[in-house]
Amino acid sequence: MNEFYYLDISLKLAAEPDQLLPVYFKSCLEQALVRIFGEIGGQTTVDLLKFDTKQARAIVRVPSNIYVKLRSAIALIGQFQDIPCSFVVHKAGPLLLALVETHLEF
């Protein structure tokens, strides 16, 4: 079994944020995990492999045992920097190569 899962995620915002930086994007995902699963259950490594500020889209890598937790946490995120939002997972899989088709749309 593969160690990691890769996700192609985009952020849909109701308005323009003050700053859309990769660190804020990653922090939003990590905070959602902690909010839902607690300090211990939410502690994990979320790696941001690629981030496109203009499209608010990222390629994220997480340990495979956290994948389901991250998908749950993403579904429950409703705000980004106090702006109503939603996250869309375009593609996910245990191989980074599986995202190539979507990655080319970046």
Side-chain angles (χ1 to χ4, degrees):
M1 188 170 170
N2 289 321
E3 278 186 65
F4 295 104
Y5 241 78
Y6 300 88
L7 298 94
D8 177 6
I9 305 171
S10 66
L11 173 62
K12 306 296 181 196
L13 294 160
E16 284 293 313
D18 294 334
Q19 288 187 315
L20 182 56
L21 299 174
V23 68
Y24 295 149
F25 189 93
K26 179 181 174 181
S27 176
C28 185
L29 298 176
E30 290 171 340
Q31 288 174 4
L33 282 165
V34 171
R35 208 171 22 250
I36 294 167
F37 298 104
E39 290 292 325
I40 304 299
Q43 284 185 349
T44 188
T45 303
V46 176
D47 296 322
L48 199 60
L49 302 180
K50 182 172 182 171
F51 186 75
D52 183 346
T53 304
K54 291 179 184 175
Q55 293 184 7
R57 198 161 175 174
I59 302 290
V60 176
R61 177 178 66 189
V62 294
S64 58
N65 63 331
I66 301 297
Y67 171 70
V68 174
K69 286 184 177 183
L70 181 63
R71 290 294 299 250
S72 302
I74 288 172
L76 298 174
I77 296 173
Q79 288 194 341
F80 180 83
Q81 296 178 353
D82 296 326
I83 299 171
C85 75
S86 65
F87 281 81
V88 177
V89 177
H90 298 280
K91 220 171 200 183
L95 300 172
L96 184 56
L97 196 56
L99 304 181
V100 167
E101 180 181 302
T102 306
H103 172 70
L104 294 176
E105 295 171 3
F106 261 88

